[in-house]
């Protein structure tokens, strides 16, 4: 029906709220990648020799690897020699120690994004390790966390202050040779966050990092490492947004989580990087490797993600369930509008006995968006009585988008139990009309229906994040009616 | 309140309504009766502004305004309520959340402040009682997994909350057993008032035993062939639509 498709063309004309550029002096490495650049980065960060060697090893492996092509995404060839691999805000002497020392313009950027650090500090009790471009410029609440022994700092600081922990865990979950993008990240990662929760400590607040890409043609190579020692608990929030750009920006982050015996890590992401305009111009390429290791008995790792941004998303937060009785969870809402393409899902690798995993994936496609759920559940020989439940739902808005489901299952132990459920539905004209007849505008109706669809995932998010995510889903779909 | 003049409507190029004229004043309850395919639901959808129903001729004036110029949500805000024959489910959205959003959207249109959660809950409890809608149903997802009777009760519950000026009830009796029918009818009767007009669309006379109309229209093949009082409905029940169509007007 033409009457139903016409509004689609009106669609998604919503300009990107966070599209502005902050004018701050940058210190760049020249574009291109070779061993000298790797050495430059390492030297800039005054890293120990072992870390330089680790990077170089990764770089050499990377050179032998090729970009993965199996994902259902298409994008122009990336010229890795045309990218800058290091940019940091200039600092005269040392990095700022408190917010007062932070460049006011930088703080204003966060204000515009609705992330007032001061307010969050005082009201929400959230410690924010704000990553601007590649170097952390503000770390808050560190003292309070230090009282209970929690370490929460930028990755480069951790390299200086806790080299033994970094050396022990870096690359222990995602080895340098894991995949093309992880190898690239390992060679050139600039900064990120490091968290260590000591034995038996329940982290007294939610830890949060806001990422923001701010320099043209500067790839972002964040490195996050979270270690939860025996019996500890931490909830970590990651939120991202970026200014409008015409050129594609490469992002290849690596996140490693390690949960020891009886420990629990909850990792939540709201991702809102610039998705490109309605014609698919611009937008972030997001090639992320996220993996958690449930090392100890009865440990638990839970990934929750709301992915609304990026032109291309290639991301599979996974769990290796090594410890007996360990639990892995993956809750995801991914939204593709305009020309966005998302190939995302998870891998659950069951090694230990009585291990359990849950996968709830909700894909929303609108405009010309393409959405693929790609999941792998692997039950290894020793994983007696392993269980997996997978639920994978797709919602289509309009008739030019696509949803695809690619679930892999590999079972090598006959005592395991696996369940898989999948649905595909469409926002119906009848649902929209019903809402409008009750007085809701078309946009509010879409937002309401989509949030209902995503509810099972949104409820896994910490409260304030859930509210933000709800708004984000609505904003990302404004005008997306078919 | 509502004045329909020589209304012609096509759906996918096919004429469905072929010249309907009708006037409903505030405080009146009109029944529209007719066999399947006569255009009853089309009339309801046109009044509510559903896409795909093309008005090729005629006019609808509501509270002195040209109704056809208004988008569906504006009509709702101006007090038009459609009780659906087949209410749709909205999974994951609680009934109460949905209605609060709807009511506050309408209040906003009227220049009123939004109701907060506490006031809304109080109002909702009060209105749910009118149709004996269990508390549990108000918290479930909109119409999701509701039985036929629950859906219809939910429609009347929504009507009670939104307090429309013109309620169009499309086959509210379909799929109801006699007990449920009584509950729904009682709910509707409780909402009758001097400021509110109702258009009750039904296939069967039995609903009109419980919701007694002021005026009955018989719609056949896109035209109103007879108009009378409540006795016309009874005559229809006895004699069938074809007899009534062919008989001279009362």
């Amino acid at each position: 029906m033409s009457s139903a498709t016409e509004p689609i063309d009106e669609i998604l004309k919503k300009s990107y709220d966070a599209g502005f550029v902050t004018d701050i002096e940058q210190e760049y490495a020249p574009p291109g990648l070779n061993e000298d650049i790797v050495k430059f980065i390492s030297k800039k960060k005054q890293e120990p020799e072992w870390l330089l060697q680790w990077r170089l090893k990764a770089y050499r492996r990377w050179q032998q690897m090729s970009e993965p092509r199996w994902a259902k995404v298409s994008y122009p060839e990336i010229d890795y020699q045309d990218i800058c691999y290091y940019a940091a805000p200039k600092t005269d002497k040392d990095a700022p120690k408190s917010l007062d020392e932070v460049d006011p313009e930088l703080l204003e950027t966060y204000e515009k994004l609705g992330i007032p650090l001061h307010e969050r500090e005082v009201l929400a009790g959230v410690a924010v390790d704000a990553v601007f471009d590649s170097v952390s410029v503000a770390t808050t609440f560190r003292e309070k966390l230090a009282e209970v022994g929690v370490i929460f700092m930028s990755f480069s600081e951790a390299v200086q202050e806790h080299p033994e922990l970094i050396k022990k865990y870096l690359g222990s979950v995602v080895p340098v040779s894991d995949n093309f993008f992880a190898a690239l990240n390992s060679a050139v990662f600039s900064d990120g966050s490091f968290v260590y929760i000591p034995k038996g400590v329940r982290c007294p607040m939610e830890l949060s990092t806001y990422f923001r890409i701010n320099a043209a043609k500067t790839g972002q190579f964040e490195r996050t490492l979270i270690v939860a020692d025996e019996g500890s608990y931490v909830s970590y929030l990651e939120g991202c947004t970026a200014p409008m750009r015409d050129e594609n920006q490469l992002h290849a982050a690596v996140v490693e989580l390690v949960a020891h015996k009886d420990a629990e890590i909850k990792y939540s992401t709201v991702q809102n990087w610039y998705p490109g305009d309605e014609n698919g111009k611009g937008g972030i390429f997001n090639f992320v490797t996220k993996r958690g290791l449930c090392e100890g008995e009865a440990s638990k790792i839970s990934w929750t993600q709301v992915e609304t941004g990026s032109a291309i998303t290639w991301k599979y937060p996974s769990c290796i369930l090594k410890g007996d009785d360990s639990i892995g969870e993956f809750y995801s809402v991914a939204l593709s509008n305009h020309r966005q393409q998302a190939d995302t899902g998870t891998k659950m690798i069951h090694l230990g006995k009585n291990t359990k995993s849950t996968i709830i994936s909700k894909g929303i496609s609108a405009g010309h968006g393409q959405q693929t759920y790609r999941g792998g559940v692997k039950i290894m020989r020793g994983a007696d009585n392993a269980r997996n439940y997978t639920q994978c739902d797709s919602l289509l808005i309009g008739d030019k988008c696509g949803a695809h489901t690619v679930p892999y299952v590999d079972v090598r132990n006959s005592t395991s139990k696996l369940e898989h459920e999948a649905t595909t539905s469409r926002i119906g004209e009848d649902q929209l009309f019903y809402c409008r007849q009750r007085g809701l505008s078309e946009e509010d109706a879409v937002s309401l229906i989509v949030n209902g669809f995503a509810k099972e995932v949104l409820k896994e998010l910490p409260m304030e994040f859930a509210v933000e995510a709800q708004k984000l889903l609505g904003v990302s779909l404004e005008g997306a009616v078919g | 309140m509502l004045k329909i003049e020589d209304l012609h409507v096509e759906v996918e190029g096919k004429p469905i309504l072929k010249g309907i004229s009708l006037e409903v004043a505030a405080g009146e309850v009109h029944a529209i009766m007719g066999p399947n395919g006569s255009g009853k639901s089309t009339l309801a959808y046109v009044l509510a502004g559903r896409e795909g129903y093309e008005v090729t001729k005629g006019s609808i004036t509501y509270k002195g305004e040209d109704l056809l110029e208004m988008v569906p949500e504006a009509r709702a805000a101006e007090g038009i309520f459609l009780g659906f024959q087949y209410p749709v489910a909205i999974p994951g959205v609680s009934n109460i959340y949905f209605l609060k959003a709807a009511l506050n959207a309408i209040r906003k249109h009227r220049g009123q402040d939004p109701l907060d959660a506490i006031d809304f809950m109080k109002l909702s409890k009060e209105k749910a009682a009118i149709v004996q809608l269990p508390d549990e149903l108000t918290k479930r997802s909109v119409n999701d997994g509701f039985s036929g009777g629950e859906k219809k009760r939910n429609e009347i519950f929504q009507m009670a909350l939104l307090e429309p000026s013109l309620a169009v009830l499309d086959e509210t009796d379909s799929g109801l057993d006699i007990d449920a029918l009584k509950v729904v009818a009682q709910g509707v009767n409780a909402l009758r008032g001097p400021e509110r007009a109702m258009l009750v669309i039904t296939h069967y006379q039995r609903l009109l035993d419980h919701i007694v109309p002021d005026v009955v229209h018989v719609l056949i093949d896109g035209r109103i062939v007879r108009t009378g009082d409540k006795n016309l409905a009874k005559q229809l029940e006895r004699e069938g639509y074809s007899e009534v169509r062919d008989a001279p007007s009362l």
Side-chain angles (χ1 to χ4, degrees), chain B residues 1 16 24-25 83 106 114-115 120 122 124 135-136 142-143 151-153 155 159 167 174 185 187 190 202 218 220 248:
Chain B
M1 176 173 297
I16 305 290
V24 183
I106 290 173
L115 279 190
F120 179 80
K122 203 176 140 201
S124 155
D135 216 28
E136 181 254 334
V142 181
N143 294 321
K151 282 183 187 171
K152 295 297 169 71
R153 266 196 274 173
E155 292 293 288
M159 174 168 91
S174 69
T202 182
V218 180
I220 294 177

Side-chain angles (χ1 to χ4, degrees), chain A residues 1 3-4 7 429-442 444 448-449 451-453 455 470, chain B residues 48 50-51 72-73 76 80-82 84 88-93 97-98 101-102 105-106 143 155 158 162:
Chain A
M1 286 200 305
S3 60
E429 185 270 337
D430 54 347
Q431 280 177 323
L432 283 177
F433 177 63
Y434 191 77
C435 294
R436 295 179 74 187
Q437 209 302 305
R438 297 299 185 252
L440 298 171
S441 71
E442 202 162 36
D444 287 347
L448 187 92
I449 294 166
N451 276 299
F453 172 75
K455 190 181 183 182
Q470 257 181 8
Chain B
R50 189 164 194 164
E51 270 178 39
E73 55 269 38
I80 291 186
F81 176 92
L82 172 60
F84 284 71
V88 295
I90 308 175
V93 178
Y97 181 86
F98 173 71
I106 290 173
N143 294 321
E155 292 293 288
Q158 295 188 24
L162 299 176

Side-chain angles (χ1 to χ4, degrees), chain A residues 226-241:
Chain A
I226 299 176
V227 179
D229 218 326
E230 282 182 21
S232 67
Y233 169 84
V234 63
S235 167
Y236 189 87
L237 320 180
E238 171 199 44
C240 317
T241 173

Side-chain angles (χ1 to χ4, degrees), chain A residues 66-342:
Chain A
S66 52
E67 224 176 294
R69 291 288 175 205
W70 42 260
K72 194 177 163 42
V73 291
S74 61
Y75 52 91
E77 199 73 33
I78 298 169
D79 183 353
Y80 291 92
Q81 296 304 333
D82 194 34
I83 292 168
C84 281
Y85 288 89
Y86 184 79
K90 244 180 187 165
T91 48
D92 286 341
K93 327 172 207 78
D94 300 312
K97 289 183 185 61
S98 76
L99 287 176
D100 304 340
E101 295 178 32
V102 172
D103 188 331
E105 201 175 341
L106 201 64
L107 293 176
E108 210 179 297
T109 304
Y110 291 117
E111 292 288 336
K112 283 188 209 168
L113 287 168
I115 312 160
L117 283 177
H118 294 285
E119 259 182 45
R120 281 183 185 264
E121 248 185 324
V122 181
L123 296 175
V126 175
V128 178
D129 175 19
V131 175
F132 183 81
D133 264 2
S134 311
V135 172
S136 300
V137 291
T139 303
T140 54
F141 280 98
R142 195 190 291 182
E143 282 154 34
K144 194 172 170 192
L145 292 170
E147 279 172 28
V148 288
V150 170
I151 301 168
F152 178 38
M153 55 177 60
S154 77
F155 204 91
S156 9
E157 287 172 303
V159 168
Q160 305 299 333
E161 293 181 30
H162 301 282
E164 72 298 339
L165 287 172
I166 299 292
K167 205 169 173 177
K168 182 173 175 189
Y169 290 106
L170 179 65
S172 69
V173 186
V174 180
V176 292
S177 57
D178 189 80
N179 67 69
F180 181 83
F181 297 114
L184 178 63
N185 174 287
S186 302
V188 302
F189 74 85
S190 40
D191 213 334
S193 298
F194 173 71
V195 175
Y196 175 79
I197 315 290
K199 275 185 193 175
V201 170
R202 191 176 171 90
C203 188
M205 61 188 78
E206 270 155 3
L207 304 180
S208 168
T209 302
Y210 283 85
F211 292 90
R212 182 167 170 78
I213 297 178
N214 195 267
K217 279 188 168 183
T218 302
Q220 282 269 302
F221 302 96
E222 302 293 341
R223 190 92 199 183
T224 301
L225 175 58
I226 299 176
V227 179
D229 218 326
E230 282 182 21
S232 67
Y233 169 84
V234 63
S235 167
Y236 189 87
L237 320 180
E238 171 199 44
C240 317
T241 173
M244 187 178 288
R245 288 289 175 192
D246 271 339
E247 282 164 86
N248 290 309
Q249 291 175 299
L250 175 65
H251 183 97
V254 171
V255 176
E256 296 179 280
L257 311 181
V258 180
H260 288 286
K261 187 169 181 283
D262 297 320
E264 180 178 349
I265 301 174
K266 190 172 167 58
Y267 193 105
S268 312
T269 305
V270 170
Q271 188 266 112
N272 182 28
W273 282 332
Y274 181 53
D277 65 16
E278 58 261 52
N279 298 313
K281 193 169 159 54
I284 305 292
F285 289 3
N286 192 23
F287 302 114
V288 186
T289 305
K290 287 182 166 174
R291 195 173 303 152
L293 173 64
C294 284
E295 165 75 38
E297 266 171 53
S299 54
K300 179 176 174 184
I301 288 177
S302 182
W303 298 100
T304 305
Q305 61 172 23
V306 176
E307 303 276 324
T308 61
S310 298
I312 311 279
T313 300
W314 181 97
K315 183 182 174 187
Y316 316 92
S318 302
C319 296
I320 300 170
L321 303 171
K322 186 179 166 195
D324 290 347
D325 301 299
S326 61
I327 296 171
E329 293 174 341
F330 174 75
Y331 300 98
S332 169
V333 176
L335 184 155
S336 315
N337 198 353
H338 300 304
R339 303 268 170 181
Q340 280 178 278
Q341 307 170 62

Side-chain angles (χ1 to χ4, degrees), chain B residues 45-242:
Chain B
Y45 287 143
V46 169
L47 287 170
R50 189 164 194 164
E51 270 178 39
Y53 293 80
E54 201 193 340
V55 176
T56 52
K57 198 178 165 197
S59 66
I60 305 178
T61 312
Y62 170 69
K63 291 183 180 172
E65 305 275 334
D66 181 359
L67 187 70
L68 297 174
E69 287 298 306
M70 297 184 210
V71 295
E73 55 269 38
R75 298 182 193 199
E78 288 294 333
I80 291 186
F81 176 92
L82 172 60
F84 284 71
Q85 183 177 4
Y86 304 108
V88 295
I90 308 175
V93 178
S94 80
N95 219 355
I96 212 83
Y97 181 86
F98 173 71
L99 275 175
K100 181 161 171 264
L103 182 63
N104 282 336
I106 290 173
R107 288 178 66 92
K108 192 176 168 191
H109 179 90
R110 292 177 186 155
Q112 295 168 314
D113 288 334
L115 279 190
D116 64 23
I118 296 164
D119 287 343
F120 179 80
M121 287 310 287
K122 203 176 140 201
L123 185 67
S124 155
K125 275 209 161 68
E126 191 183 298
K127 303 295 185 184
I130 295 176
V131 282
Q132 301 170 24
L133 194 71
D135 216 28
E136 181 254 334
L137 281 188
T138 65
K139 287 170 188 146
R140 284 232 307 261
S141 294
V142 181
N143 294 321
D144 196 16
F146 283 32
S147 72
E150 286 169 344
K151 282 183 187 171
K152 295 297 169 71
R153 266 196 274 173
N154 195 29
E155 292 293 288
I156 305 305
F157 165 58
Q158 295 188 24
M159 174 168 91
L161 249 168
L162 299 176
E163 301 185 317
S165 322
L166 173 66
V168 181
L169 304 177
D170 189 9
E171 306 263 359
T172 295
D173 52 332
S174 69
L176 295 184
D177 61 35
I178 190 68
D179 292 334
L181 182 75
K182 278 183 186 161
V183 171
V184 166
Q186 274 166 18
V188 172
N189 287 330
L191 296 168
R192 288 176 84 149
E195 300 302 319
R196 185 169 292 142
M198 290 186 186
L199 210 51
V200 179
I201 294 172
T202 182
H203 190 93
Y204 299 107
Q205 189 268 339
R206 64 167 194 171
L207 177 67
L208 305 181
D209 287 340
H210 303 280
I211 304 171
V212 180
D214 300 303
V215 183
V216 174
H217 307 276
V218 180
L219 183 67
I220 294 177
D221 192 25
R223 291 185 184 88
I224 291 178
V225 297
R226 291 283 294 275
T227 293
D229 64 10
K230 61 183 179 184
N231 294 317
L232 178 57
K234 293 200 161 58
Q235 187 193 345
L236 270 176
E237 186 77 358
R238 280 197 311 274
E239 300 172 6
Y241 284 113
S242 51

